[in-house]
């Protein structure tokens, strides 16, 4: 942005936070986000309630937009910010404490009648992987991410940084029973494709014309048998013999591209 150019206002709702800096963890019921993309996207999200922003002056200048005049900001140096986040986290001079996003129900996504695929994760627990999958899902126009409320990472700074702002854009549905959710997804007209390296058909061969739900399991273990049995088809990515398998976030990105390219 050119020097002197007027920035538009960021849209976040500001709140108040008790407690001082340097605690190294978020207040009870809050989440800390860091890094320019994650923080900027959260500040622009009208559905996100913010509590406090710790920042260097350079970090504030890097934001695309002006904070409201009454927004709770505490200027800090790089060492202070490092004590607020995970060890060696690349905070880029910005740490935002805010309220987690409100839960979304599966019904809300299914009635939205979107053309994008659903991404279903079965016990994928690494926040880096889930964040990267959220980023790819948003990039390729997915309708939503669906995970269990257990055996899935919570909203966090690590996950948001890996998602690079997409956490604020992609609906994330947490369900109690993933198998039951897959039944509901089928009733809504989605063709459920489970990705597994042992499948005979490739993803290109298994993709239909209509709505698709892509189901991916944890690295190593893969999908649980009960989840696999709730898929309409199983498919593999046609990778070479030199590599046994792909990282789950890489597999998701390739599958999302293939779905978008139909």
């Amino acid at each position: 942005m050119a020097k002197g150019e007027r920035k538009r206002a960021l849209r976040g709702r500001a709140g108040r936070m008790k407690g001082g800096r340097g605690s190294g963890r978020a207040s009870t019921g809050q989440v800390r986000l860091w890094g320019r993309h994650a923080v900027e996207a959260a500040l622009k999200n009208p559905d996100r309630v913010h509590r406090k922003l710790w920042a260097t002056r350079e970090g504030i200048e890097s934001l695309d937009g002006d904070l409201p005049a009454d927004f709770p900001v505490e200027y800090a140096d790089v060492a202070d910010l490092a004590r607020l986040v995970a060890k060696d986290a690349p905070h880029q001079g910005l740490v935002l404490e805010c309220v987690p996003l409100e839960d979304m129900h599966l019904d809300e996504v299914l009635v939205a009648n979107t053309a994008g695929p659903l991404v279903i994760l079965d016990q994928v627990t690494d926040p880096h992987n889930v964040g990267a999958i959220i980023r790819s899902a948003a990039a390729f126009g997915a309708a939503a991410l669906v995970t269990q409320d257990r055996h899935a990472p919570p909203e966090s700074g690590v996950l948001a940084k890996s998602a690079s702002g997409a956490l604020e854009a992609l609906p994330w549905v947490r369900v109690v029973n993933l198998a039951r959710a897959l039944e509901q997804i089928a009733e809504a007209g989605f063709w459920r494709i489970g990705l597994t390296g042992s499948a005979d058909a490739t993803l290109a061969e298994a993709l239909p014309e209509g709505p698709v739900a892509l189901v991916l399991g944890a690295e190593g273990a893969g999908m649980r048998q009960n989840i696999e049995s709730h898929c309409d088809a199983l498919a593999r990515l046609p990778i070479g013999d030199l590599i046994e398998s792909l990282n789950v976030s890489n597999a998701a990105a390739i599958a999302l591209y293939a779905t978008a390219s139909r």
Side-chain angles (χ1 to χ4, degrees):
M1 180 175 289
K3 187 175 181 181
E5 183 179 346
R6 184 180 179 84
K7 292 184 177 181
R8 64 182 181 276
L10 292 163
R11 297 182 294 169
R13 290 176 288 170
R16 294 184 178 180
M17 190 196 80
K18 294 181 179 180
R21 89 184 165 195
S23 63
R25 64 178 61 188
S27 304
T28 302
Q30 313 299 318
V31 62
R32 278 191 187 153
L33 310 180
W34 56 78
R36 185 175 68 82
H37 291 298
V39 169
E40 186 175 278
L43 289 171
K44 289 182 176 181
N45 184 359
D47 295 325
R48 176 77 79 170
V49 178
H50 312 112
R51 295 302 186 209
K52 187 172 184 177
L53 177 65
W54 292 270
T56 63
R57 295 190 182 279
E58 293 78 9
I60 292 288
E61 285 299 315
S62 73
L63 291 172
D64 178 27
D66 285 329
L67 293 167
D70 61 344
F71 199 94
V73 178
E74 181 170 336
Y75 288 97
D77 59 29
V78 171
D80 287 329
L81 295 178
R83 288 192 285 270
L84 294 171
V85 299
K87 185 178 180 181
D88 298 326
H91 55 70
Q92 297 176 296
L94 295 163
V95 179
L96 177 68
E97 185 159 294
C98 51
V99 177
L101 293 170
E102 291 187 9
D103 290 337
M104 176 169 282
H105 297 289
L106 184 58
D107 288 341
E108 297 177 71
V109 171
L110 297 179
V111 301
N113 197 27
T114 178
L118 294 173
V119 179
I120 320 296
L121 301 183
D122 180 28
Q123 298 194 340
V124 178
T125 58
D126 186 331
H128 295 93
N129 279 333
V130 176
I133 291 169
I134 289 173
R135 184 178 185 178
S136 296
F140 290 110
L145 176 75
V146 181
T147 68
Q148 283 182 292
D149 56 358
R150 297 169 56 198
H151 306 297
E155 187 178 324
S156 69
V158 171
L159 188 148
K161 185 70 170 64
S162 298
S164 193
L167 177 62
E168 310 297 325
L170 183 75
W172 183 355
V173 178
R174 296 176 181 271
V175 298
V176 174
N177 189 311
L178 198 57
R180 190 174 302 138
L182 283 167
E183 293 173 358
Q184 188 177 350
I185 287 167
E187 291 170 0
F190 285 79
W191 186 255
R192 304 160 299 179
I193 300 178
L195 293 178
T196 172
S198 61
D200 294 327
T202 65
L203 179 59
E205 294 167 339
L207 278 172
E209 290 296 325
V212 170
L214 300 170
V215 187
L216 297 98
E219 291 186 47
M223 287 177 292
R224 289 172 293 163
Q225 184 175 356
N226 185 38
I227 300 304
E228 188 172 302
S229 68
H230 278 79
C231 293
D232 300 298
L234 299 178
R236 59 179 171 82
L237 298 177
I239 61 176
D241 295 335
L242 293 178
I243 300 297
E244 181 179 351
S245 62
L246 290 172
N247 173 283
V248 64
S249 63
N250 293 334
I254 293 168
L256 284 160
Y257 171 76
T259 304
S261 301
R262 286 179 296 173

